[in-house]
Amino acid sequence: MATTRTATTQWKGALIDGSGTVSLDTSGVGTFEVTWASRSQEAGGKTSPEELIAAAHSSCFSMALSHGLAGAGTPPESLETSADVTFQPGEGITGIVLTVKGRVPGISAEQFQEAAATAKANCPVSKALTGTTITLDAELL
């Protein structure tokens, strides 16, 4: 069964001096402030589209990796994934670096890296971001 998730942005003003709020409508877990400065300079307590993409990518990748490992008979004890999304004003998103550290009994570091590469390739968010360079660093703890 397909699911649809919704977020809404209310924006006021021009790009440089305007501001907005992003609400996560489906879950209702929060509303977050966003500005051009928080996107192109320091966050200053506000979010950006790239941070929201990073959240989506790190969680999707973790789910995909967990599923793949469990399907191979080696479920993880824990996974910690970060996604660093780089934004260059005037150019756009120039790359994403996924970093994962996992505790997975019964597999080698090579098997973990292979499982992570498969998860990166098959995670729905990775697929949605096709056209962006996505780099992976996988470490078995």
Side-chain angles (χ1 to χ4, degrees):
M1 177 171 86
T3 60
T4 301
R5 302 293 184 249
T6 304
T8 302
T9 299
Q10 298 289 328
W11 185 268
K12 295 181 182 175
L15 174 62
I16 302 302
D17 60 357
S19 64
T21 57
V22 178
S23 64
L24 304 181
D25 300 339
T26 304
S27 65
V29 298
T31 299
F32 306 94
E33 294 181 55
V34 63
T35 64
W36 174 250
S38 68
R39 184 177 196 185
S40 61
Q41 300 167 30
E42 292 299 317
K46 297 174 177 68
T47 194
S48 68
E50 291 72 30
E51 185 176 38
L52 297 169
I53 289 170
H57 205 179
S58 66
S59 60
C60 181
F61 172 84
S62 292
M63 290 178 186
L65 180 54
S66 175
H67 181 66
L69 289 166
T74 54
E77 287 181 1
S78 65
L79 298 172
E80 181 179 313
T81 304
S82 65
D84 298 320
V85 177
T86 301
F87 173 74
Q88 177 64 45
E91 194 173 335
I93 294 173
T94 57
I96 299 171
V97 176
L98 289 171
T99 302
V100 60
K101 295 179 181 180
R103 293 192 189 283
V104 187
I107 67 169
S108 68
E110 182 179 303
Q111 289 170 313
F112 182 72
Q113 290 171 0
E114 289 172 7
T118 298
K120 180 188 115 179
N122 294 311
C123 158
V125 172
S126 289
K127 289 181 176 184
L129 296 170
T130 299
T132 300
T133 300
I134 303 169
T135 304
L136 173 65
D137 179 19
E139 178 184 347
L140 183 64
L141 298 176

